[in-house]
Amino acid sequence: SSHCVLNNGYSQEKYTFKDTDGKHINAHGGGILFHKGTYYWYGEIKEGESYSMPSGSRRVDAGGVSCYSSKDLKNWKNEGVVLAANTTDPNHDLHISKVIERPKVVYNKKTKKYVMWMHVDSEDYSYARSAVAVSDKATGPFTYIESVRPNGYIARDMTLFVDDDGKAYHFFSSEDNKTMHIALLSDDYLKHTTTYKRIFIEKSREAPAVFKYKKRYYIVTSGLTGWHQNEANYGSSDEILGDWTNYGNPCKGKDAHIPYYGQGTFVIPVNAKKNKFIFMADKWNERDLKSSTYLW
Ligand code: GAL
C-alpha cells in the first residue's frame, strides 16, 4: 500500500522505451538473447486494467510473451506475441487468470532450437512452477511444453544463464522464496537434471540477473517486497555451482537503496571482453502495471 514510492522524482517519459512504431515497449521482467548479430528482447506482455486481489496485491491478466528485435539495442522492432496467453481454458498454465513472468530465451546449438523458460503461477502465487516452451525461430511462435517443479521444489522469480561450454543453468527463487537454486538443465535445455546448488540460504533473494566476467560469475538480486522497490545485492562465485558470496548493494548515489526505483531482470553482456554490460531493470507501476517502465 505504498503507491507513493512510484517514479518519485523521475519523469515517466524518460523511462518509456519506444519501439520503431513509437509504442511503449511491452516486455516486462524481460531478458535478451543475442544471436547472429541481432538482439532479441523477450518479456511479459502487460495489457488491460490492473486490479487488486483479496490479499491487497495488484495484478493484471497474464498476457503472454512478446519479442522485440534490434541490431543496436536502441531501435526495437516489435516481433509480436511469441507465446500467447490462453483465453479459453482456466486450467491451462498460460490462462489469462494465471501469472506468466520473467520469460528468458536461450539458443541451443545442438538442437538448433530456441528454448524459453518462465515462471508460471496461479493468481495467489501458490502454483509456483517453471514452464518451458520451444521454437525453431527466435521470433517464434513458441510451442508450450509443460510446467514443472524442478527436482520437486517450488520455483518463482528466475533467469537462465548459458556458460561458455554450452551448459545452461536455471536460477530461481525457491523454498518459499527464501533460498535460491541453480539447476543444471539437460543438454537440450528442456528438462532439469538432478544437479543443483542451493545458494543464499534463507537470505530471501529474488529477481536474479546473472553474468560472467573474466571466468567469474556474478549475480544481481533484489529483496522480496513484491512490486515495491528494495535494495539490490550482488554476489559472485568462481564456480557456477560453487559457494556464492553475497556482497552488498552495487548501486551508488541518489536512490541507490532502491535501485533508482527499479528491480533487476537481466544483465546484457554487450562486450564482456571489454567489461561492457548493461543492467536491465523494471520500474513497476503497481497501480497500472501496463505502464511500468524500464531502467537500464
Ligand atoms: C516481485 C517479483 C515480480 C512479481 C511481483 C508480484 O517480487 O519480482 O516478478 O512477481 O513480485 O508481486
Side-chain angles (χ1 to χ4, degrees):
S1 58
S2 46
H3 292 166
C4 54
V5 299
L6 298 165
N7 298 333
N8 276 2
Y10 296 93
S11 80
Q12 181 84 359
E13 183 65 24
K14 184 171 171 191
Y15 297 96
T16 298
F17 284 37
K18 290 192 173 139
D19 65 14
T20 50
D21 298 327
K23 295 210 178 95
H24 179 42
I25 290 178
N26 195 353
H28 308 273
I32 304 274
L33 168 69
F34 181 66
H35 188 64
K36 293 187 177 157
T38 301
Y39 293 95
Y40 299 93
W41 176 354
Y42 302 90
E44 304 157 15
I45 298 172
K46 295 208 176 303
E47 260 164 14
E49 294 308 305
S50 296
Y51 50 96
S52 294
M53 300 297 296
S55 65
S57 66
R58 301 283 293 171
R59 68 168 261 118
V60 67
D61 285 352
V65 179
S66 59
C67 176
Y68 293 79
S69 66
S70 176
K71 296 277 184 198
D72 57 8
L73 292 168
K74 189 165 161 44
N75 297 289
W76 291 98
K77 177 174 175 264
N78 187 356
E79 300 285 357
V81 178
V82 293
L83 183 71
N86 176 296
T87 54
T88 53
D89 175 8
N91 293 319
H92 197 284
D93 282 347
L94 305 181
H95 187 253
I96 52 172
S97 62
K98 298 239 172 20
V99 168
I100 305 170
E101 288 181 342
R102 298 185 180 271
K104 303 288 177 285
V105 174
V106 289
Y107 177 70
N108 189 297
K109 282 184 184 151
K110 283 186 192 150
T111 63
K112 298 191 165 53
K113 304 265 187 206
Y114 298 81
V115 179
M116 178 190 295
W117 283 89
M118 71 212 96
H119 166 204
V120 299
D121 225 317
S122 46
E123 57 182 18
D124 63 358
Y125 286 88
S126 62
Y127 194 50
R129 295 168 81 91
S130 299
V132 60
V134 69
S135 172
D136 293 326
K137 278 172 39 193
T139 51
F142 282 77
T143 303
Y144 188 68
I145 303 176
E146 62 175 350
S147 72
V148 294
R149 285 202 162 167
N151 289 301
Y153 285 98
I154 69 151
R156 294 200 181 92
D157 277 14
M158 56 145 280
T159 196
L160 298 176
F161 177 78
V162 180
D163 210 343
D164 302 325
D165 60 4
K167 289 198 162 105
Y169 299 85
H170 183 204
F171 288 67
F172 55 94
S173 301
S174 191
E175 303 180 37
D176 210 14
N177 294 347
K178 289 194 175 74
T179 294
M180 193 163 284
H181 283 213
I182 309 171
L184 173 67
L185 295 178
S186 57
D187 286 349
D188 62 8
Y189 303 168
L190 298 177
K191 301 257 181 219
H192 291 81
T193 67
T194 53
T195 301
Y196 67 90
K197 174 83 180 177
R198 299 167 68 233
I199 65 164
F200 305 153
I201 293 163
E202 307 269 310
K203 293 279 189 285
S204 295
R205 306 306 302 172
E206 62 178 9
V210 177
F211 61 101
K212 189 177 188 179
Y213 177 59
K214 289 189 175 162
K215 296 188 180 159
R216 201 169 166 84
Y217 302 90
Y218 293 85
I219 189 170
V220 183
T221 61
S222 79
L224 213 116
T225 53
W227 304 118
H228 302 165
Q229 294 80 12
N230 54 57
E231 189 181 274
N233 277 186
Y234 78 103
S236 73
S237 175
D238 283 329
E239 281 174 58
I240 193 152
L241 295 175
D243 292 308
W244 288 65
T245 307
N246 192 33
Y247 300 102
N249 184 2
C251 301
K252 292 212 159 54
K254 185 176 182 286
D255 299 325
H257 63 297
I258 41 164
Y260 327 107
Y261 294 92
Q263 182 191 26
T265 183
F266 200 77
V267 171
I268 315 168
V270 181
N271 189 343
K273 286 196 182 102
K274 289 200 169 152
N275 191 17
K276 291 200 170 94
F277 297 87
I278 295 175
F279 175 66
M280 291 171 71
D282 294 286
K283 288 167 69 68
W284 299 119
N285 178 355
E286 67 168 349
R287 272 187 303 167
D288 182 29
L289 285 158
K290 70 175 175 323
S291 67
S292 298
T293 55
Y294 311 104
L295 181 149
W296 286 19

